[in-house]
Structures are given as C-alpha cells and as structure tokens.
Amino acid sequence: MNLTILGCHSATPRTSAHPTAQVLEMRGHLFLIDCGEGTQVQLRKLKVKFSRIRNIFISHLHGDHFFGLVGLISTFRLLGREVDLHIYGPEGIKEAIVLQLKLGNSWTNYNLIFHELSSKSPETLFEDEKVSVETIPLDHRVYTNGFLFREKPGERKLNLDAAVKSRIDNSYFSKAKQGHDIENRDGVLIKNETVTHPPDPPVSYAYCSDTAYLPKIVDQIKGVTVLYHESTFLESHQHLAEATKHSTAKEAAVIAKKAEAGTLILGHYSGRYKDLEDFRREAQNVFDNVELSEDGKTFKF
Amino acid sequence: MNLTILGCHSATPRTSAHPTAQVLEMRGHLFLIDCGEGTQVQLRKLKVKFSRIRNIFISHLHGDHFFGLVGLISTFRLLGREVDLHIYGPEGIKEAIVLQLKLGNSWTNYNLIFHELSSKSPETLFEDEKVSVETIPLDHRVYTNGFLFREKPGERKLNLDAAVKSRIDNSYFSKAKQGHDIENRDGVLIKNETVTHPPDPPVSYAYCSDTAYLPKIVDQIKGVTVLYHESTFLESHQHLAEATKHSTAKEAAVIAKKAEAGTLILGHYSGRYKDLEDFRREAQNVFDNVELSEDGKTFKF
C-alpha cells in the first residue's frame, strides 16, 4: 500500500501549500481521495500515472477538497480517456460538475458515473475480490464522509522447498496457495500448512477529514493499519477547532489510540502555524507512531 | 498600463504551463481577465496585490479560462474581503458559481455582483472618468467575448514656465489643466495652448481570446495600442484552427495589421509546439511588432 500526499493544507491554495488530495495505491487500484484546486498539476509533478485512476472519493464539497475535480475530469477528456470514471461524493456533486461541463459544451467522451451519498451510516461504496471501500460518516459543517479502504486477505504463500520435498506436482501450486490440502505424486494427502505460509496480513487505511473530534468512529476503524486524521489546529486553538468543526493534533491522537491504529498521519494544517513539528509533538504525548503529511510525500506500508 | 500574464497556455494546466489569466493595470484599476485553474496561486507567486481586483472579465466558459474563478472567490471570502466584486461573463456563470458556494455552504460575506452577457454586439460593461471597458464579440465553439479596455484622455499638462511668464495665478492651474483659457493677474485672457501641453495619448488594450479568425473585429479595435490575440496554432495546423475555432499566429498578425495595432501579443499556445519563437517568426512575416506572452511576464506600455 502506497499513499501519496498531493496536498495536505487547509483553506486556500498557496505557492507551496496545496489543498487536500491523496492517491492511495492498494492491490493494483489507484484511488484518488479528495481533489482540491491544482490536484491535476500535482499529479503531473509527482509523475503519478493518473490515467489509472478509476475511482475518485470526495469527502465533502468545500473548495479545498473539491474545486480541482472539474478540471481533472476535463483533462481526462482532452487526453482521450475511454475507461469509465466513478465519482463518489455528497449529493449535489453531480449537478455541480455536469453544469460546468454543459456550460463549456465539454461533455466527456468516457462514462462519468456519479455515486451520490447522503446516508449518515457507513455504507460500502466499492468492493471487488481484493479491496473494499466504505464511508466513515464524519461531523463537519457540511455533510462529510471519511473513507475506509481495506485489503481482503490475500493468497497463502507457497513454501517451494517444502512443496518439492512433499512431492507435490507444479500444477497444484495455485490450489495450495488458495489454502487447500493437496494429494501428492504418491497419492498422499499433504496438509496445506506443510507447504504454505500464511498470507501477509491485509492492510487498511482510514481517511478522516474534515471532522470535529468524533469518538464514535473508533469502533468502525478499530485496528486500522494507517489512520489519516485531520489536525487543522493545535490544542492552543481548541476553541477554533470547536467553532469550525475541525480537530486538534491531540484529538487526532486520542482517536488513533482508542482505535489501536498502527500509524497516525496528521494533516490539513491551518496556515497559521510555522513549525509543523509542533503537531507531531502534541500528538506524541498521546500516541507514539505519528507521521506528518507533506505535499509530495509518499508513505509505503 | 501594465499587463501581467498569469497564464498563456491552452487546454490543460501542466507543471510549467498555466491556463489563461491576465491582470491589467490601467489608471489605478486592476482588472482580472479570465481565470483558469491555479490563477490564485499565480497571483500569489507573482506578488500581485489581488485584493485590489474589483472587476473580473471572463471571456467564455471553457475550463482553461474559468475553472479558477470559484476558488478565487472563496479565497477572497477567507481573506475577509469586504469590497464588492463584479464578475462579467457569459450567461450561466452565476449559476455555476452560486451552486458551488451553496453546496459548500460558503457564501461570500462581500457583495458578489454578476453581469451576465448574451449580446452578440459590442456593449459597454464598465465606465468611469478614467477608463471604459467594452465587449468584443468573438467566434468560438461557445459564446465568447473579448474585451476592449480604453483609457479616457487625461488632463492637459501644465507648462509651468509659460504659466508664470503669462502671470497666471496658481489657483487657476487646475482649470488650465482642464483645457480652459485663463484670465491672468492683469485681466488679460490667456489661450490655454499658451500655458499647457496636450495630455499623453490614451492607451488601449484589446484582449481577443478564444476566437477563429474574425476580420469583422478590426473596425472596433482600430488603432489599439496593444492587441492580445490568441494564436493556438501555427499555419501548418490551419485545419486544426478551423476545426476548433482557434487562430494561427499568421491570422493574429493579419488582424493586428488591418487594425493598425501598436503591438501584437501572441498567446494561448497549443501544447504541441516546442519552440514558441516559431509563433513570433510566423507573425512577423505579416506584422513587425510582435511579442510573445509568457507565464509571469509583465509588459509595460
């Protein structure tokens, strides 16, 4: 699982502070999460093969998470895209995009499929044999969802030495990886555990932005490998966090601790702070494994 | 008159190719012309005091001229703008902007005043004692206007030596600059021309993008000081220019020549060309005084 931060700042785009957008690579999928203004240029700058994106998840319709979407959709058209593009986001997203394409008489020549969200309970948006994606309903000034990306357990790994030693024919290797016991060349049934190792544990990623401190999400994201949780403010501006329905670094860390997350990534910083290490320090008083998102940074898990 | 090119490329924004936007400074006004994605970041990067912008002119509703507008409007709100902002653009522009502000529950706390255009004849959009702005109806795939910015003649310039010699009292100097004949200290009427020089000739700027070759604009822009005319293509791609209702560098030069413009600035280049000097060379076969627009470049006239 690779997570590339295209932008991790709140409010207005600035010369060296991009609004929110992330690319998550998981089991061959390339998911785009949020799409602030300038996202398409960040994708180019970071050399992401963005034609591979087939699913875009928009948390909410504030500009710093959404204003780059119509431009990206238009660019896909200009680049001759043919494959379907699925957009998941709050009700109204379709009207906003379609109106702008209509005004420019710039309809896409690929299928643009909107999945408009309005539920206040978690729902599964995407599922195949490798991955599932569900909403994490959040608490912000407008209707907002986070997203929980989960790998499904993969195949077991063949222990080639053991398989040869156990006289298992090559043609049964895939069956062994699927977890079955196998009859060997001598007609003896070999226990699966003898010739395979367990698969890598499936990883998961919870994206929670933007939101006020919301402990009720903990059950849903329990044990998540990586939690991205917004931390627009430090605790010294707790009153601003409450007024604007954002979180502090400390609150993000409390959620990570309660959820027993593997790693916490902070982001969506307010522009008022000079030293982002202050976010890490504040969070680490509560939870050890804290990373800071940075525009252009890739995390590998 | 200062013209700053924020972006001068067509179609999709790329790492070092910004879509169309310009800032024109004329007699104390700061006019924004078109607003492709990323315009607000260019304004910051080039240190334009963009809070001074009170009038934004949008030629047409293709993304490369328009997708940055909603973000700029939102940023003005976040920066605490209080003064009115006037937006001039094709019918539909209000609905597109207002819908997005509504979805984000992000109404501006300043007045946002839309002037929606649909006329196919030139009309005056803005006028005060110093400057006027009128539309130049163009021919593109969607409803499009260029804009003609004209200074009004300024005051005459006082010839101080002559005024003193003619025994004119200081208190009449403003009246002299306004062009009146003046009675001197001895009761003698002094001809205005004796004590003043003519004002600087007023300058004008015609912005023509996007458009097919359209000779009928020549009468309207006759004698313009500076003509910005799109040249998306070179003559070798004339067929593409025709198919997409754009112009070639040669066609832009023919318009400049017929209009007896002072200077021609080319721009809105297609991304297919490596050496932009080819545009200058092609245009200079027809018209001498050719400049190439470049992202970040300021022209002073």
Side-chain angles (χ1 to χ4, degrees):
Chain A
M1 179 172 78
N2 297 324
L3 176 69
T4 298
I5 308 295
L6 304 168
C8 63
H9 296 271
S10 69
T12 74
R14 281 152 284 151
T15 316
S16 54
H18 296 276
T20 300
Q22 306 186 349
V23 167
L24 180 71
E25 194 166 7
M26 183 179 260
R27 292 272 173 90
H29 290 289
L30 204 62
F31 297 122
L32 180 64
I33 309 166
D34 280 341
C35 193
E37 185 176 350
T39 294
Q40 59 174 316
V41 175
Q42 283 292 88
L43 287 165
R44 286 183 189 268
K45 198 167 155 188
L46 299 170
K47 301 195 191 308
V48 176
K49 291 194 172 135
F50 60 102
S51 64
R52 282 182 51 214
I53 294 170
R54 299 197 176 190
N55 298 278
I56 300 178
F57 300 88
I58 301 294
S59 61
H60 65 298
L61 299 182
H62 280 156
D64 55 338
H65 295 250
F66 164 59
F67 285 165
L69 181 59
V70 67
L72 181 61
I73 287 170
S74 300
T75 290
F76 279 140
R77 180 181 66 83
L78 290 165
L79 297 177
R81 182 186 182 104
E82 291 182 353
V83 299
D84 296 354
L85 182 64
H86 294 263
I87 313 276
Y88 307 80
E91 251 179 14
I93 193 169
K94 179 175 177 176
E95 187 186 358
I97 298 296
V98 167
L99 174 61
Q100 291 178 85
L101 300 182
K102 189 184 86 177
L103 288 171
N105 195 20
S106 304
W107 301 105
T108 62
N109 33 14
Y110 57 90
N111 290 319
L112 193 56
I113 302 149
F114 290 92
H115 305 264
E116 293 201 302
L117 310 177
S118 57
S119 171
K120 290 179 177 172
S121 305
E123 50 184 342
T124 298
L125 302 183
F126 177 90
E127 185 160 21
D128 66 7
E129 68 283 3
K130 295 177 181 169
V131 169
S132 71
V133 187
E134 64 196 65
T135 56
I136 307 169
L138 298 175
D139 179 22
H140 192 43
R141 304 194 303 278
V142 293
Y143 175 75
T144 302
N145 288 295
F147 302 103
L148 178 56
F149 300 82
R150 291 183 206 264
E151 287 184 0
K152 295 190 177 171
E155 290 193 321
R156 295 182 66 85
K157 295 179 165 188
L158 191 72
N159 179 341
L160 188 60
D161 285 348
V164 169
K165 204 166 157 188
S166 303
R167 297 183 45 74
I168 289 178
D169 194 82
N170 293 3
S171 58
Y172 287 103
F173 285 178
S174 330
K175 199 174 168 189
K177 286 194 263 183
Q178 287 160 23
H180 302 282
D181 298 339
I182 306 288
E183 200 172 296
N184 76 358
R185 290 196 178 102
D186 309 317
V188 178
L189 193 70
I190 306 292
K191 281 274 181 202
N192 186 276
E193 297 78 46
T194 314
V195 295
T196 65
H197 298 299
D200 289 332
V203 301
S204 53
Y205 175 62
Y207 170 85
C208 297
S209 186
D210 295 355
T211 188
Y213 174 64
L214 188 64
K216 78 167 187 190
I217 66 176
V218 165
D219 284 346
Q220 191 187 353
I221 64 173
K222 199 87 180 181
V224 71
T225 315
V226 181
L227 168 63
Y228 174 91
H229 195 291
E230 73 124 293
S231 57
T232 308
F233 297 104
L234 294 173
E235 202 185 4
S236 53
H237 293 107
Q238 176 79 49
H239 59 293
L240 292 181
E242 277 168 28
T244 57
K245 295 211 169 191
H246 282 299
S247 301
T248 66
K250 182 181 171 185
E251 288 168 337
V254 170
I255 298 291
K257 186 177 181 184
K258 285 177 189 275
E260 297 167 16
T263 301
L264 168 63
I265 303 178
L266 297 175
H268 201 263
Y269 316 112
S270 156
R272 77 193 62 222
Y273 302 108
K274 293 274 179 295
D275 183 4
L276 299 182
E277 285 296 330
D278 288 343
F279 284 85
R280 194 200 301 266
R281 280 188 281 270
E282 179 173 302
Q284 281 183 333
N285 288 330
V286 176
F287 182 83
D288 276 344
N289 197 7
V290 178
E291 298 279 354
L292 296 181
S293 51
E294 266 174 49
D295 295 357
K297 187 168 178 176
T298 295
F299 296 96
K300 293 179 188 293
F301 297 98
Chain B
M1 180 173 77
N2 296 325
L3 176 69
T4 298
I5 307 296
L6 303 168
C8 64
H9 297 271
S10 69
T12 75
R14 281 151 284 150
T15 316
S16 55
H18 297 275
T20 300
Q22 306 185 348
V23 167
L24 180 72
E25 194 167 8
M26 182 181 262
R27 292 272 172 91
H29 289 288
L30 205 62
F31 297 121
L32 179 64
I33 309 167
D34 280 341
C35 193
E37 184 175 350
T39 294
Q40 59 174 316
V41 175
Q42 283 292 88
L43 287 165
R44 286 182 188 267
K45 197 167 157 188
L46 299 170
K47 301 194 191 308
V48 176
K49 292 194 172 132
F50 60 102
S51 62
R52 283 181 52 213
I53 295 170
R54 299 195 176 191
N55 298 278
I56 301 178
F57 300 87
I58 301 293
S59 62
H60 65 299
L61 299 182
H62 280 156
D64 55 338
H65 295 250
F66 163 59
F67 284 165
L69 181 61
V70 68
L72 181 61
I73 287 170
S74 300
T75 290
F76 279 138
R77 180 181 66 83
L78 291 165
L79 297 177
R81 182 186 182 103
E82 291 182 352
V83 301
D84 296 354
L85 182 65
H86 293 264
I87 312 275
Y88 307 80
E91 250 178 16
I93 193 168
K94 179 174 178 175
E95 186 186 359
I97 297 297
V98 167
L99 173 62
Q100 291 178 85
L101 300 181
K102 189 183 85 176
L103 288 170
N105 196 20
S106 305
W107 301 106
T108 62
N109 34 14
Y110 57 89
N111 291 318
L112 192 56
I113 302 149
F114 289 92
H115 305 264
E116 294 201 301
L117 310 177
S118 56
S119 172
K120 291 181 177 169
S121 305
E123 51 184 340
T124 298
L125 302 183
F126 176 91
E127 185 160 24
D128 67 6
E129 67 283 6
K130 296 175 180 169
V131 168
S132 71
V133 186
E134 63 195 65
T135 56
I136 307 168
L138 298 175
D139 178 22
H140 193 42
R141 303 194 303 277
V142 292
Y143 175 76
T144 303
N145 288 296
F147 302 103
L148 178 55
F149 300 82
R150 290 183 207 263
E151 288 184 357
K152 293 188 177 171
E155 290 194 320
R156 295 181 66 85
K157 296 180 165 186
L158 190 73
N159 179 342
L160 188 61
D161 285 349
V164 170
K165 203 166 160 190
S166 303
R167 296 182 46 74
I168 290 179
D169 194 82
N170 293 2
S171 58
Y172 287 104
F173 284 0
S174 316
K175 200 173 166 190
K177 286 195 262 183
Q178 288 160 23
H180 301 282
D181 297 340
I182 307 288
E183 199 172 296
N184 76 357
R185 290 195 177 103
D186 311 315
V188 179
L189 193 70
I190 307 292
K191 282 273 183 205
N192 187 275
E193 298 76 48
T194 312
V195 294
T196 66
H197 298 301
D200 289 334
V203 301
S204 53
Y205 175 61
Y207 170 85
C208 297
S209 185
D210 295 356
T211 188
Y213 174 65
L214 188 64
K216 78 167 186 189
I217 66 175
V218 165
D219 284 345
Q220 191 187 353
I221 64 173
K222 199 88 181 181
V224 72
T225 315
V226 181
L227 167 63
Y228 173 90
H229 195 292
E230 74 124 293
S231 56
T232 307
F233 297 104
L234 293 173
E235 201 184 4
S236 53
H237 292 108
Q238 176 80 49
H239 58 295
L240 293 180
E242 277 168 29
T244 58
K245 293 210 169 190
H246 282 299
S247 300
T248 65
K250 181 180 172 185
E251 288 168 337
V254 170
I255 298 290
K257 185 176 184 185
K258 286 177 189 275
E260 297 165 17
T263 300
L264 167 65
I265 302 179
L266 297 175
H268 201 265
Y269 316 112
S270 157
R272 79 193 61 224
Y273 303 107
K274 292 274 180 295
D275 183 4
L276 299 183
E277 285 296 332
D278 288 343
F279 284 85
R280 193 199 303 264
R281 279 188 280 271
E282 180 172 302
Q284 280 184 333
N285 287 331
V286 176
F287 182 84
D288 276 343
N289 197 6
V290 177
E291 298 279 352
L292 296 181
S293 50
E294 267 174 49
D295 295 356
K297 186 168 180 176
T298 295
F299 296 96
K300 294 178 188 293
F301 297 99

